[in-house]
Amino acid sequence: LRKWMVGKRDEDYCIYKNKPLTIATERREKFNKVLESKKLFFWEEKIVNQDGSVDYQLRNLYPVLDEHNEIQQVISFGMNITDRKKIEEQLQINEKRYRDLFNYSQAYICTHDLKGKLLTANPALCEKLGLSENEITSKNISEFIPKNDLKNFQTEYIERVVETGSAKGVFRVLGKTDKKSFLLYQNFKVQEENSEPYIISFSQDITERIWVEKELRKAKQLTEESSKAKELFLANMSHEIRTPMSGILGIANLLSKTELGEQQRRYTNLITASANSLLAIVNDVLDIEKIASGKFELEHIPFKLEEKVNTTVQSFQFKAEEKNIHLTFKSNVAEDLIVLGDPSRLGQILNNLISNALKFTSKGDIYVSISYARHEYKSVVIEFEVRDTGIGIRQDRLADVFKPFVQASSDTSRKFGGTGLGLSICKELIDLQGGRITVESEVNAGTCFTFYLPYDKGDASMLMKDHGELDYKSLSSLNILVAEDYELNQFLIKHVLDDWGCSVTIVNNGLEAVEEISARNYDLILMDIHMPEMDGITATKKIRAMMDPVKSKVPIIALTANALRGDHLNYMQAGMNECVTKPYTEEKLFRMIVQIVRPKESKALSESVGEAQPVQQVEKVPDSFVAQSDRLYDLAFINEFAKGDSSFVKKMVTIFVDTMNTELAHLEKAGEELQYDKISKIAHKMKSAIDGLGITSLKQTIRELETTDYKSGTNGDPNLVIRHIKSVLGQAFVQLNDIVHV
């Protein structure tokens, strides 16, 4: 071929190699241009082969000039650049895709140097700022930041991304119209070889979200203020009603113990019944508030199911006989069935349903029954039925009877009384226990309420037995100061304490109480809260601040009509030891005094009479006041499994202490290093152990530590919470040490 080519033209070559003559034509044109310009010329030549494949040649025509600047000859040379061409084409495709992503993205994308000078901006960002790309890229990014934000912008944005290579957060920007927008950004430093590093920024507009969050915070604040106002109203209402009712019930009780004629006894009973009805309404309202607030807690104690239901039914027999109504109870469960649950709330549900049945039934029968809905080895579901032959409920009203303040008809309240809260509370209590309630009714034929409650089964070993009666005279040696401004309550408490043999001094307000305790010593103070001159809380704080340790440490029990969330906390914070809610029974007051003044006797008393201690968590008592509690732990959960095996209890306590010490060390380290995810994980591990040992004061705290977002920097310092947890657990360890070394 080489010999053949000498003397031939491109046209001859194309014919010889069977290539399109267009190649020769194109080369001739380029050749003529070289002759005219006497300059080097090069171009890319695309050649389609017979098999359809494509080759690319980079062709060159180089004119060689003589001494007269005339073309002596032309050197033609070429090289195959097919592989390079394919790489370039792919680069062009990739570049186009990148540009399309850059240009069409709804995110705001820009690049700038390490000092903030903008290099590029995509159309979305240009549109957001109301400027062209040329206008934007001639500025520094700081020119779009409000002046008040510049300092934080420099440290949180520029310096961070330069030092660490990335940054994310929220900042405000100003557009052409000076309208502020909030941008959520995430930036990265890009380092390329042989070029200056630069920053690529991605952001999105969250202005609307920010404003929505602000509105939500305002709405939350208004809701909390409204809730607080409602709570304050209920607290005041509770106090204003309970205080005189306490006196009325107490005096009625004292009156009933005197010599009375038949008519006088009937009047006394009417006074008691009316006062109890009013208190029942107050309690219903407070129950609804507690349930709605999510602070309503249930007991989980063993009790005989049939005995509890039978006792509740029997309490209505006298009233049923008065109305000539036949009240019957039938049990289809084992007589000795023991379940774990809340007997008082079961009684409340049955009381409401049976009371309603008696209210709305003028003749006929009321039938109460219990039976198994499901019976398994370790658990049961019990079906309770309360059926009457009363006035019934219209079908179109059945769906509304469980709603608060709603009654079956508009004239129900006028004819029969009541608030319409009873059935609503029943449903809430049943739902809280994992059950359900249904109702069937026919006007003038009667109503049947059926509800189902699940229970774990217990055994006889769990029940505590009654071995004796309370010895009220055992407190006869006590010298007690009573601060109470209400005359009826003064009379009542003095009569009760005198009957016990106590020495009693009555004062009318907190100021007199402080003066009295300054003058002489007492074994106990019973302190009312709301009093003139000086309230009970202020008086308690002044007593606790006295220099004489005997006087400053005198036990103080609050006597109060307040029974809402937050009340108990206020009393404990002021320095009181406990509180008794009015109206109180003689037994309840006695037990509380024994518990505070003689804790060892209180423990023996509880064991001897088989008292079941209720879960009195009307609210969450903050951990900061936990030191005032006698015991930080509760081994009820472990004792259920121990079955009297003390070695098992010791072992469990030992494991708990060792494990918690280890986890506390890990938790402190994670807190110091601000490893938020690790803090959450450790708190999650500690949670179940703390619950198992019954350290209720940390129950909410450990959960908040687990779930709180500390990364945002708006929810406080987790190390403060960790130090508090360590402090409380340290106190619990000291107390638990007595169990381990018994």
Side-chain angles (χ1 to χ4, degrees), residues 640-661:
E640 285 184 17
F641 293 89
K643 300 293 191 295
D645 185 355
S646 60
S647 63
F648 174 85
V649 175
K650 290 181 183 179
K651 183 67 174 176
M652 288 292 291
V653 171
T654 302
I655 293 173
F656 171 79
V657 173
D658 292 342
T659 303
M660 286 298 100
N661 273 316

mmCIF file with all atom_site columns, all heavy atoms in Angstrom, residues 640-661:
data_model
loop_
_atom_site.group_PDB
_atom_site.id
_atom_site.type_symbol
_atom_site.label_atom_id
_atom_site.label_alt_id
_atom_site.label_comp_id
_atom_site.label_asym_id
_atom_site.label_entity_id
_atom_site.label_seq_id
_atom_site.pdbx_PDB_ins_code
_atom_site.Cartn_x
_atom_site.Cartn_y
_atom_site.Cartn_z
_atom_site.occupancy
_atom_site.B_iso_or_equiv
_atom_site.pdbx_formal_charge
_atom_site.auth_seq_id
_atom_site.auth_comp_id
_atom_site.auth_asym_id
_atom_site.auth_atom_id
_atom_site.pdbx_PDB_model_num
ATOM 1   N N   . GLU A 1 640 ? -42.538 -10.655 94.444  1.00 0.00 ? 640 GLU A N   1
ATOM 2   C CA  . GLU A 1 640 ? -43.506 -11.503 93.747  1.00 0.00 ? 640 GLU A CA  1
ATOM 3   C C   . GLU A 1 640 ? -42.841 -12.753 93.192  1.00 0.00 ? 640 GLU A C   1
ATOM 4   O O   . GLU A 1 640 ? -43.431 -13.826 93.173  1.00 0.00 ? 640 GLU A O   1
ATOM 5   C CB  . GLU A 1 640 ? -44.158 -10.724 92.607  1.00 0.00 ? 640 GLU A CB  1
ATOM 6   C CG  . GLU A 1 640 ? -45.183 -9.721  93.063  1.00 0.00 ? 640 GLU A CG  1
ATOM 7   C CD  . GLU A 1 640 ? -45.876 -9.026  91.900  1.00 0.00 ? 640 GLU A CD  1
ATOM 8   O OE1 . GLU A 1 640 ? -45.786 -9.551  90.772  1.00 0.00 ? 640 GLU A OE1 1
ATOM 9   O OE2 . GLU A 1 640 ? -46.485 -7.985  92.124  1.00 0.00 ? 640 GLU A OE2 1
ATOM 10  N N   . PHE A 1 641 ? -41.612 -12.588 92.782  1.00 0.00 ? 641 PHE A N   1
ATOM 11  C CA  . PHE A 1 641 ? -40.886 -13.732 92.237  1.00 0.00 ? 641 PHE A CA  1
ATOM 12  C C   . PHE A 1 641 ? -40.160 -14.519 93.334  1.00 0.00 ? 641 PHE A C   1
ATOM 13  O O   . PHE A 1 641 ? -39.908 -15.721 93.179  1.00 0.00 ? 641 PHE A O   1
ATOM 14  C CB  . PHE A 1 641 ? -39.870 -13.265 91.183  1.00 0.00 ? 641 PHE A CB  1
ATOM 15  C CG  . PHE A 1 641 ? -40.491 -12.702 89.953  1.00 0.00 ? 641 PHE A CG  1
ATOM 16  C CD1 . PHE A 1 641 ? -40.797 -11.353 89.858  1.00 0.00 ? 641 PHE A CD1 1
ATOM 17  C CD2 . PHE A 1 641 ? -40.797 -13.516 88.882  1.00 0.00 ? 641 PHE A CD2 1
ATOM 18  C CE1 . PHE A 1 641 ? -41.371 -10.831 88.724  1.00 0.00 ? 641 PHE A CE1 1
ATOM 19  C CE2 . PHE A 1 641 ? -41.373 -13.008 87.740  1.00 0.00 ? 641 PHE A CE2 1
ATOM 20  C CZ  . PHE A 1 641 ? -41.668 -11.656 87.657  1.00 0.00 ? 641 PHE A CZ  1
ATOM 21  N N   . ALA A 1 642 ? -39.757 -13.874 94.381  1.00 0.00 ? 642 ALA A N   1
ATOM 22  C CA  . ALA A 1 642 ? -38.960 -14.519 95.421  1.00 0.00 ? 642 ALA A CA  1
ATOM 23  C C   . ALA A 1 642 ? -39.740 -15.565 96.204  1.00 0.00 ? 642 ALA A C   1
ATOM 24  O O   . ALA A 1 642 ? -39.171 -16.564 96.651  1.00 0.00 ? 642 ALA A O   1
ATOM 25  C CB  . ALA A 1 642 ? -38.413 -13.462 96.372  1.00 0.00 ? 642 ALA A CB  1
ATOM 26  N N   . LYS A 1 643 ? -41.053 -15.320 96.389  1.00 0.00 ? 643 LYS A N   1
ATOM 27  C CA  . LYS A 1 643 ? -41.890 -16.255 97.155  1.00 0.00 ? 643 LYS A CA  1
ATOM 28  C C   . LYS A 1 643 ? -41.287 -16.539 98.536  1.00 0.00 ? 643 LYS A C   1
ATOM 29  O O   . LYS A 1 643 ? -41.228 -17.680 98.990  1.00 0.00 ? 643 LYS A O   1
ATOM 30  C CB  . LYS A 1 643 ? -42.085 -17.570 96.388  1.00 0.00 ? 643 LYS A CB  1
ATOM 31  C CG  . LYS A 1 643 ? -42.760 -17.404 95.035  1.00 0.00 ? 643 LYS A CG  1
ATOM 32  C CD  . LYS A 1 643 ? -44.204 -16.955 95.185  1.00 0.00 ? 643 LYS A CD  1
ATOM 33  C CE  . LYS A 1 643 ? -44.964 -17.038 93.872  1.00 0.00 ? 643 LYS A CE  1
ATOM 34  N NZ  . LYS A 1 643 ? -44.455 -16.112 92.867  1.00 0.00 ? 643 LYS A NZ  1
ATOM 35  N N   . GLY A 1 644 ? -40.774 -15.491 99.167  1.00 0.00 ? 644 GLY A N   1
ATOM 36  C CA  . GLY A 1 644 ? -40.233 -15.638 100.506 1.00 0.00 ? 644 GLY A CA  1
ATOM 37  C C   . GLY A 1 644 ? -38.773 -16.028 100.574 1.00 0.00 ? 644 GLY A C   1
ATOM 38  O O   . GLY A 1 644 ? -38.213 -16.149 101.664 1.00 0.00 ? 644 GLY A O   1
ATOM 39  N N   . ASP A 1 645 ? -38.117 -16.232 99.460  1.00 0.00 ? 645 ASP A N   1
ATOM 40  C CA  . ASP A 1 645 ? -36.707 -16.628 99.429  1.00 0.00 ? 645 ASP A CA  1
ATOM 41  C C   . ASP A 1 645 ? -35.837 -15.380 99.571  1.00 0.00 ? 645 ASP A C   1
ATOM 42  O O   . ASP A 1 645 ? -35.600 -14.649 98.609  1.00 0.00 ? 645 ASP A O   1
ATOM 43  C CB  . ASP A 1 645 ? -36.401 -17.375 98.129  1.00 0.00 ? 645 ASP A CB  1
ATOM 44  C CG  . ASP A 1 645 ? -34.974 -17.906 98.094  1.00 0.00 ? 645 ASP A CG  1
ATOM 45  O OD1 . ASP A 1 645 ? -34.192 -17.632 99.020  1.00 0.00 ? 645 ASP A OD1 1
ATOM 46  O OD2 . ASP A 1 645 ? -34.642 -18.601 97.111  1.00 0.00 ? 645 ASP A OD2 1
ATOM 47  N N   . SER A 1 646 ? -35.303 -15.149 100.773 1.00 0.00 ? 646 SER A N   1
ATOM 48  C CA  . SER A 1 646 ? -34.530 -13.933 101.012 1.00 0.00 ? 646 SER A CA  1
ATOM 49  C C   . SER A 1 646 ? -33.210 -13.934 100.248 1.00 0.00 ? 646 SER A C   1
ATOM 50  O O   . SER A 1 646 ? -32.708 -12.865 99.867  1.00 0.00 ? 646 SER A O   1
ATOM 51  C CB  . SER A 1 646 ? -34.261 -13.761 102.508 1.00 0.00 ? 646 SER A CB  1
ATOM 52  O OG  . SER A 1 646 ? -33.531 -14.871 103.008 1.00 0.00 ? 646 SER A OG  1
ATOM 53  N N   . SER A 1 647 ? -32.635 -15.104 100.024 1.00 0.00 ? 647 SER A N   1
ATOM 54  C CA  . SER A 1 647 ? -31.370 -15.161 99.283  1.00 0.00 ? 647 SER A CA  1
ATOM 55  C C   . SER A 1 647 ? -31.548 -14.695 97.848  1.00 0.00 ? 647 SER A C   1
ATOM 56  O O   . SER A 1 647 ? -30.659 -14.067 97.263  1.00 0.00 ? 647 SER A O   1
ATOM 57  C CB  . SER A 1 647 ? -30.809 -16.585 99.306  1.00 0.00 ? 647 SER A CB  1
ATOM 58  O OG  . SER A 1 647 ? -31.687 -17.484 98.637  1.00 0.00 ? 647 SER A OG  1
ATOM 59  N N   . PHE A 1 648 ? -32.724 -14.979 97.278  1.00 0.00 ? 648 PHE A N   1
ATOM 60  C CA  . PHE A 1 648 ? -33.026 -14.525 95.919  1.00 0.00 ? 648 PHE A CA  1
ATOM 61  C C   . PHE A 1 648 ? -33.085 -12.992 95.883  1.00 0.00 ? 648 PHE A C   1
ATOM 62  O O   . PHE A 1 648 ? -32.539 -12.358 94.970  1.00 0.00 ? 648 PHE A O   1
ATOM 63  C CB  . PHE A 1 648 ? -34.358 -15.119 95.459  1.00 0.00 ? 648 PHE A CB  1
ATOM 64  C CG  . PHE A 1 648 ? -34.840 -14.611 94.136  1.00 0.00 ? 648 PHE A CG  1
ATOM 65  C CD1 . PHE A 1 648 ? -34.412 -15.177 92.953  1.00 0.00 ? 648 PHE A CD1 1
ATOM 66  C CD2 . PHE A 1 648 ? -35.733 -13.543 94.067  1.00 0.00 ? 648 PHE A CD2 1
ATOM 67  C CE1 . PHE A 1 648 ? -34.843 -14.712 91.730  1.00 0.00 ? 648 PHE A CE1 1
ATOM 68  C CE2 . PHE A 1 648 ? -36.177 -13.066 92.851  1.00 0.00 ? 648 PHE A CE2 1
ATOM 69  C CZ  . PHE A 1 648 ? -35.727 -13.652 91.686  1.00 0.00 ? 648 PHE A CZ  1
ATOM 70  N N   . VAL A 1 649 ? -33.722 -12.427 96.884  1.00 0.00 ? 649 VAL A N   1
ATOM 71  C CA  . VAL A 1 649 ? -33.839 -10.967 96.945  1.00 0.00 ? 649 VAL A CA  1
ATOM 72  C C   . VAL A 1 649 ? -32.454 -10.331 97.072  1.00 0.00 ? 649 VAL A C   1
ATOM 73  O O   . VAL A 1 649 ? -32.126 -9.365  96.378  1.00 0.00 ? 649 VAL A O   1
ATOM 74  C CB  . VAL A 1 649 ? -34.735 -10.534 98.124  1.00 0.00 ? 649 VAL A CB  1
ATOM 75  C CG1 . VAL A 1 649 ? -34.760 -9.007  98.249  1.00 0.00 ? 649 VAL A CG1 1
ATOM 76  C CG2 . VAL A 1 649 ? -36.141 -11.075 97.946  1.00 0.00 ? 649 VAL A CG2 1
ATOM 77  N N   . LYS A 1 650 ? -31.611 -10.895 97.967  1.00 0.00 ? 650 LYS A N   1
ATOM 78  C CA  . LYS A 1 650 ? -30.253 -10.357 98.150  1.00 0.00 ? 650 LYS A CA  1
ATOM 79  C C   . LYS A 1 650 ? -29.467 -10.405 96.843  1.00 0.00 ? 650 LYS A C   1
ATOM 80  O O   . LYS A 1 650 ? -28.762 -9.460  96.495  1.00 0.00 ? 650 LYS A O   1
ATOM 81  C CB  . LYS A 1 650 ? -29.520 -11.152 99.230  1.00 0.00 ? 650 LYS A CB  1
ATOM 82  C CG  . LYS A 1 650 ? -30.044 -10.931 100.640 1.00 0.00 ? 650 LYS A CG  1
ATOM 83  C CD  . LYS A 1 650 ? -29.231 -11.736 101.638 1.00 0.00 ? 650 LYS A CD  1
ATOM 84  C CE  . LYS A 1 650 ? -29.775 -11.582 103.045 1.00 0.00 ? 650 LYS A CE  1
ATOM 85  N NZ  . LYS A 1 650 ? -29.005 -12.383 104.018 1.00 0.00 ? 650 LYS A NZ  1
ATOM 86  N N   . LYS A 1 651 ? -29.591 -11.521 96.165  1.00 0.00 ? 651 LYS A N   1
ATOM 87  C CA  . LYS A 1 651 ? -28.842 -11.689 94.920  1.00 0.00 ? 651 LYS A CA  1
ATOM 88  C C   . LYS A 1 651 ? -29.294 -10.661 93.886  1.00 0.00 ? 651 LYS A C   1
ATOM 89  O O   . LYS A 1 651 ? -28.461 -10.033 93.198  1.00 0.00 ? 651 LYS A O   1
ATOM 90  C CB  . LYS A 1 651 ? -29.038 -13.107 94.375  1.00 0.00 ? 651 LYS A CB  1
ATOM 91  C CG  . LYS A 1 651 ? -28.241 -13.408 93.101  1.00 0.00 ? 651 LYS A CG  1
ATOM 92  C CD  . LYS A 1 651 ? -26.758 -13.419 93.345  1.00 0.00 ? 651 LYS A CD  1
ATOM 93  C CE  . LYS A 1 651 ? -26.000 -13.853 92.109  1.00 0.00 ? 651 LYS A CE  1
ATOM 94  N NZ  . LYS A 1 651 ? -24.539 -13.784 92.282  1.00 0.00 ? 651 LYS A NZ  1
ATOM 95  N N   . MET A 1 652 ? -30.595 -10.485 93.745  1.00 0.00 ? 652 MET A N   1
ATOM 96  C CA  . MET A 1 652 ? -31.128 -9.523  92.783  1.00 0.00 ? 652 MET A CA  1
ATOM 97  C C   . MET A 1 652 ? -30.663 -8.100  93.106  1.00 0.00 ? 652 MET A C   1
ATOM 98  O O   . MET A 1 652 ? -30.279 -7.337  92.211  1.00 0.00 ? 652 MET A O   1
ATOM 99  C CB  . MET A 1 652 ? -32.657 -9.579  92.767  1.00 0.00 ? 652 MET A CB  1
ATOM 100 C CG  . MET A 1 652 ? -33.238 -10.819 92.118  1.00 0.00 ? 652 MET A CG  1
ATOM 101 S SD  . MET A 1 652 ? -32.932 -10.882 90.336  1.00 0.00 ? 652 MET A SD  1
ATOM 102 C CE  . MET A 1 652 ? -33.989 -9.552  89.780  1.00 0.00 ? 652 MET A CE  1
ATOM 103 N N   . VAL A 1 653 ? -30.664 -7.770  94.382  1.00 0.00 ? 653 VAL A N   1
ATOM 104 C CA  . VAL A 1 653 ? -30.239 -6.433  94.793  1.00 0.00 ? 653 VAL A CA  1
ATOM 105 C C   . VAL A 1 653 ? -28.753 -6.236  94.511  1.00 0.00 ? 653 VAL A C   1
ATOM 106 O O   . VAL A 1 653 ? -28.323 -5.181  94.023  1.00 0.00 ? 653 VAL A O   1
ATOM 107 C CB  . VAL A 1 653 ? -30.545 -6.200  96.283  1.00 0.00 ? 653 VAL A CB  1
ATOM 108 C CG1 . VAL A 1 653 ? -29.902 -4.898  96.771  1.00 0.00 ? 653 VAL A CG1 1
ATOM 109 C CG2 . VAL A 1 653 ? -32.053 -6.150  96.517  1.00 0.00 ? 653 VAL A CG2 1
ATOM 110 N N   . THR A 1 654 ? -27.952 -7.264  94.792  1.00 0.00 ? 654 THR A N   1
ATOM 111 C CA  . THR A 1 654 ? -26.507 -7.183  94.537  1.00 0.00 ? 654 THR A CA  1
ATOM 112 C C   . THR A 1 654 ? -26.222 -6.967  93.054  1.00 0.00 ? 654 THR A C   1
ATOM 113 O O   . THR A 1 654 ? -25.403 -6.120  92.671  1.00 0.00 ? 654 THR A O   1
ATOM 114 C CB  . THR A 1 654 ? -25.810 -8.462  95.020  1.00 0.00 ? 654 THR A CB  1
ATOM 115 O OG1 . THR A 1 654 ? -26.065 -8.640  96.413  1.00 0.00 ? 654 THR A OG1 1
ATOM 116 C CG2 . THR A 1 654 ? -24.307 -8.375  94.788  1.00 0.00 ? 654 THR A CG2 1
ATOM 117 N N   . ILE A 1 655 ? -26.910 -7.740  92.220  1.00 0.00 ? 655 ILE A N   1
ATOM 118 C CA  . ILE A 1 655 ? -26.731 -7.599  90.771  1.00 0.00 ? 655 ILE A CA  1
ATOM 119 C C   . ILE A 1 655 ? -27.134 -6.200  90.315  1.00 0.00 ? 655 ILE A C   1
ATOM 120 O O   . ILE A 1 655 ? -26.463 -5.574  89.494  1.00 0.00 ? 655 ILE A O   1
ATOM 121 C CB  . ILE A 1 655 ? -27.550 -8.671  90.021  1.00 0.00 ? 655 ILE A CB  1
ATOM 122 C CG1 . ILE A 1 655 ? -26.978 -10.070 90.304  1.00 0.00 ? 655 ILE A CG1 1
ATOM 123 C CG2 . ILE A 1 655 ? -27.548 -8.411  88.515  1.00 0.00 ? 655 ILE A CG2 1
ATOM 124 C CD1 . ILE A 1 655 ? -27.824 -11.188 89.756  1.00 0.00 ? 655 ILE A CD1 1
ATOM 125 N N   . PHE A 1 656 ? -28.218 -5.720  90.871  1.00 0.00 ? 656 PHE A N   1
ATOM 126 C CA  . PHE A 1 656 ? -28.697 -4.386  90.501  1.00 0.00 ? 656 PHE A CA  1
ATOM 127 C C   . PHE A 1 656 ? -27.649 -3.323  90.828  1.00 0.00 ? 656 PHE A C   1
ATOM 128 O O   . PHE A 1 656 ? -27.317 -2.473  89.994  1.00 0.00 ? 656 PHE A O   1
ATOM 129 C CB  . PHE A 1 656 ? -30.001 -4.073  91.233  1.00 0.00 ? 656 PHE A CB  1
ATOM 130 C CG  . PHE A 1 656 ? -30.452 -2.639  91.087  1.00 0.00 ? 656 PHE A CG  1
ATOM 131 C CD1 . PHE A 1 656 ? -31.083 -2.212  89.932  1.00 0.00 ? 656 PHE A CD1 1
ATOM 132 C CD2 . PHE A 1 656 ? -30.230 -1.725  92.101  1.00 0.00 ? 656 PHE A CD2 1
ATOM 133 C CE1 . PHE A 1 656 ? -31.473 -0.895  89.790  1.00 0.00 ? 656 PHE A CE1 1
ATOM 134 C CE2 . PHE A 1 656 ? -30.626 -0.402  91.967  1.00 0.00 ? 656 PHE A CE2 1
ATOM 135 C CZ  . PHE A 1 656 ? -31.247 0.005   90.805  1.00 0.00 ? 656 PHE A CZ  1
ATOM 136 N N   . VAL A 1 657 ? -27.110 -3.367  92.040  1.00 0.00 ? 657 VAL A N   1
ATOM 137 C CA  . VAL A 1 657 ? -26.138 -2.355  92.466  1.00 0.00 ? 657 VAL A CA  1
ATOM 138 C C   . VAL A 1 657 ? -24.893 -2.413  91.581  1.00 0.00 ? 657 VAL A C   1
ATOM 139 O O   . VAL A 1 657 ? -24.393 -1.381  91.103  1.00 0.00 ? 657 VAL A O   1
ATOM 140 C CB  . VAL A 1 657 ? -25.764 -2.556  93.947  1.00 0.00 ? 657 VAL A CB  1
ATOM 141 C CG1 . VAL A 1 657 ? -24.624 -1.615  94.341  1.00 0.00 ? 657 VAL A CG1 1
ATOM 142 C CG2 . VAL A 1 657 ? -26.975 -2.302  94.835  1.00 0.00 ? 657 VAL A CG2 1
ATOM 143 N N   . ASP A 1 658 ? -24.383 -3.634  91.344  1.00 0.00 ? 658 ASP A N   1
ATOM 144 C CA  . ASP A 1 658 ? -23.169 -3.767  90.527  1.00 0.00 ? 658 ASP A CA  1
ATOM 145 C C   . ASP A 1 658 ? -23.412 -3.272  89.103  1.00 0.00 ? 658 ASP A C   1
ATOM 146 O O   . ASP A 1 658 ? -22.586 -2.548  88.522  1.00 0.00 ? 658 ASP A O   1
ATOM 147 C CB  . ASP A 1 658 ? -22.724 -5.233  90.493  1.00 0.00 ? 658 ASP A CB  1
ATOM 148 C CG  . ASP A 1 658 ? -22.221 -5.702  91.851  1.00 0.00 ? 658 ASP A CG  1
ATOM 149 O OD1 . ASP A 1 658 ? -21.899 -4.840  92.696  1.00 0.00 ? 658 ASP A OD1 1
ATOM 150 O OD2 . ASP A 1 658 ? -22.153 -6.924  92.064  1.00 0.00 ? 658 ASP A OD2 1
ATOM 151 N N   . THR A 1 659 ? -24.534 -3.671  88.513  1.00 0.00 ? 659 THR A N   1
ATOM 152 C CA  . THR A 1 659 ? -24.845 -3.290  87.133  1.00 0.00 ? 659 THR A CA  1
ATOM 153 C C   . THR A 1 659 ? -25.027 -1.784  87.011  1.00 0.00 ? 659 THR A C   1
ATOM 154 O O   . THR A 1 659 ? -24.510 -1.151  86.077  1.00 0.00 ? 659 THR A O   1
ATOM 155 C CB  . THR A 1 659 ? -26.117 -4.000  86.653  1.00 0.00 ? 659 THR A CB  1
ATOM 156 O OG1 . THR A 1 659 ? -25.938 -5.409  86.772  1.00 0.00 ? 659 THR A OG1 1
ATOM 157 C CG2 . THR A 1 659 ? -26.410 -3.663  85.204  1.00 0.00 ? 659 THR A CG2 1
ATOM 158 N N   . MET A 1 660 ? -25.736 -1.207  87.949  1.00 0.00 ? 660 MET A N   1
ATOM 159 C CA  . MET A 1 660 ? -25.993 0.223   87.872  1.00 0.00 ? 660 MET A CA  1
ATOM 160 C C   . MET A 1 660 ? -24.712 1.035   88.050  1.00 0.00 ? 660 MET A C   1
ATOM 161 O O   . MET A 1 660 ? -24.542 2.087   87.436  1.00 0.00 ? 660 MET A O   1
ATOM 162 C CB  . MET A 1 660 ? -27.025 0.639   88.934  1.00 0.00 ? 660 MET A CB  1
ATOM 163 C CG  . MET A 1 660 ? -28.448 0.217   88.614  1.00 0.00 ? 660 MET A CG  1
ATOM 164 S SD  . MET A 1 660 ? -29.101 0.950   87.087  1.00 0.00 ? 660 MET A SD  1
ATOM 165 C CE  . MET A 1 660 ? -28.876 -0.418  85.954  1.00 0.00 ? 660 MET A CE  1
ATOM 166 N N   . ASN A 1 661 ? -23.798 0.548   88.906  1.00 0.00 ? 661 ASN A N   1
ATOM 167 C CA  . ASN A 1 661 ? -22.521 1.254   89.055  1.00 0.00 ? 661 ASN A CA  1
ATOM 168 C C   . ASN A 1 661 ? -21.750 1.286   87.742  1.00 0.00 ? 661 ASN A C   1
ATOM 169 O O   . ASN A 1 661 ? -21.180 2.311   87.352  1.00 0.00 ? 661 ASN A O   1
ATOM 170 C CB  . ASN A 1 661 ? -21.672 0.584   90.139  1.00 0.00 ? 661 ASN A CB  1
ATOM 171 C CG  . ASN A 1 661 ? -21.993 1.124   91.530  1.00 0.00 ? 661 ASN A CG  1
ATOM 172 O OD1 . ASN A 1 661 ? -22.125 2.320   91.726  1.00 0.00 ? 661 ASN A OD1 1
ATOM 173 N ND2 . ASN A 1 661 ? -22.143 0.234   92.487  1.00 0.00 ? 661 ASN A ND2 1
#
